[in-house]
Amino acid sequence: MKLSTSPSGTYAGAFSAIEVKTNGSALSGEKSFYTFCVELYETLYTNTTLYVKSVSNATQNAVSSYYSQTNPASGGTATSDPLSVQTEWLFTQFNVDKNFQSSILSTNAKANSFQVAIWYLEHELDSYKVQSWHGSSTNSGYGYLYTQDSYAQTLVAMANAAVKNGWKDVGDQVRVLNLYKDNKYTQYAQDQLYFVSAVPEPESLAMMLVGVVGVAGFVRYRKRKTA
């Protein structure tokens, strides 16, 4: 597959998958879709062929990328880190609520905030990773991206509220594309989010919507409190 830097964002996303060639995988039939990066410390090149080794619920990454082996909060290992339920909710809303999607993609700033929210929820901005990446004991890296981004903080608060209200990815629709730069799967690339677009059964759809009412109330409450 190939990714384009369009439509929005100046950090990592939103990317658009502009060329998808598959061989019986979960991506079969896809022509294009929007995606965001899960990892911060891997890399990829746009408009260059990337290879999907698997479609899973966790990242596949190099040990040298300083992932969650020292961060019990994310539940990961040295080479794999599962998606948080909050990230699954956020990316589900992006895909099922077209007004929300249009809003996120309307400006670079909002697309950047959405990406920062994902990195925060996936513990990519934790200080120990920043320190390891920069070879410094000071938190001089990317942590400020979240602390200085009020919209990213709002998105995280919405995701936390939805999960607290009982939302679950019942249909397992939010996945991770485990990407590599070579067809031998030896050079790790930045893993991307993927939404399985098949329409869920009514029971699953009802469960997916759990938390939406609570989040709407949360947003209204914030507005009243601000006012």
Side-chain angles (χ1 to χ4, degrees), residues 91-99 101 173 195 208-209:
F91 197 57
T92 296
Q93 303 315 302
F94 176 82
N95 282 277
V96 302
D97 186 337
K98 296 307 179 183
N99 289 330
Q101 183 182 99
Q173 288 189 280
F195 187 77
M208 288 174 62
L209 294 176

Side-chain angles (χ1 to χ4, degrees), residues 41 66 128-142:
Y41 299 112
Y66 306 106
Y128 86 90
K129 291 181 183 177
V130 172
Q131 293 166 10
S132 299
W133 181 257
H134 287 268
S136 169
S137 60
T138 60
N139 190 355
S140 59
Y142 300 108

